[in-house]
Amino acid sequence: MLAATTITNFRTAVTFFIGTFINPFTLILITLSVLYFLYGVSKYFRPNPSDSDKKEARLVMLWGVVGLFAIVAMWGLVQIVQNTFDFDNLGFNKLPDSTLTPPPTQ
């Protein structure tokens, strides 16, 4: 269960947005792109495909790879921006830090 998030400034807003929306959405797109590529592979290796089926399957595989490359490249750019401006996308998935101070001595 995620801890309650308080957005207090721009940094926490961007961190929350990246951790909550961008990263899961990117993983979904990567999964869809790989499945599309595998769909093309399955069309290509079907028994007795015609030349037009093979050509269509090659295009499906090509666009699956192009889509995967584009998604990973954009995810890389998000990570570069995130590291450049020191946004911590794991900050909202961590347990709150508890600073234990020793009791005062008398």
Side-chain angles (χ1 to χ4, degrees), residues 4-86:
T5 303
T6 304
I7 297 177
T8 57
N9 56 23
F10 182 71
R11 171 178 273 171
T12 58
V14 170
T15 302
F16 177 75
F17 182 74
I18 289 172
T20 305
F21 298 109
I22 299 294
N23 287 342
F25 187 65
T26 302
L27 294 176
I28 290 169
L29 287 177
I30 288 172
T31 303
L32 290 175
S33 180
V34 168
L35 289 175
Y36 190 66
F37 173 78
L38 292 175
Y39 169 70
V41 170
S42 71
K43 282 184 74 168
Y44 190 79
F45 288 111
R46 271 196 322 217
N48 302 322
S50 66
D51 287 338
S52 64
D53 288 341
K54 278 191 169 191
K55 185 181 265 186
E56 182 183 344
R58 277 191 228 121
L59 282 175
V60 168
M61 288 187 289
L62 174 69
W63 284 111
V65 170
V66 168
L68 183 63
F69 175 78
I71 294 163
V72 171
M74 291 304 292
W75 192 31
L77 288 175
V78 167
Q79 295 300 316
I80 288 171
V81 169
Q82 191 173 3
N83 292 333
T84 300
F85 295 109
D86 197 28

